[in-house]
Amino acid sequence: MMAILVLADAASSAQHFIDIFLWVYVLLIFVYVLTSWVRLPYSVWVRRISDFLRDVCEPYLRLFRRILPTFGPLDLSPVVGVLFLVILGRVANSLLGRLH
């Protein structure tokens, strides 16, 4: 009985961690897209933040840019990437929810 409770608690913690991680990553992608649309004034800190966002988001979005056809200047990789993260989160919640 104790092992089942420990397993359920671990599954709940993992589910919570995955939810938070995915939503923080979605937020980072959103901020990355917004900063790519706006020309920001030069500052060392702004540059560091934009470099961080690029280093974190670009490898993931590049996966979808390879698959998606080009639509001229329109880049749909953030939309598809966020949708994929939402679906991934729901699948993970479904799988971990079965352990409760």
Side-chain angles (χ1 to χ4, degrees):
M1 181 68 178
M2 185 66 169
I4 293 174
L5 290 175
V6 171
L7 182 62
D9 186 46
S12 176
S13 296
Q15 189 175 13
H16 188 65
F17 174 78
I18 290 170
D19 285 342
I20 290 174
F21 178 79
L22 291 178
W23 285 114
V24 166
Y25 200 70
V26 166
L27 180 65
L28 288 173
I29 291 172
F30 182 70
V31 171
Y32 177 65
V33 169
L34 285 179
T35 58
S36 71
W37 291 347
V38 178
R39 185 163 177 95
L40 299 171
Y42 181 77
S43 167
V44 174
W45 288 104
V46 171
R47 180 70 180 173
R48 288 179 183 170
I49 292 170
S50 65
D51 287 345
F52 169 76
L53 289 171
R54 184 190 66 241
D55 292 344
V56 169
C57 297
E58 197 59 37
Y60 176 69
L61 295 177
R62 198 176 306 126
L63 295 171
F64 297 103
R65 286 191 190 117
R66 291 179 188 159
I67 298 169
L68 294 172
T70 57
F71 295 104
L74 188 62
D75 182 16
L76 295 178
S77 62
V79 175
V80 175
V82 167
L83 285 174
F84 183 76
L85 287 175
V86 169
I87 292 169
L88 183 69
R90 289 187 181 195
V91 168
N93 283 337
S94 173
L95 292 174
L96 290 172
R98 292 181 184 181
L99 296 176
H100 285 223

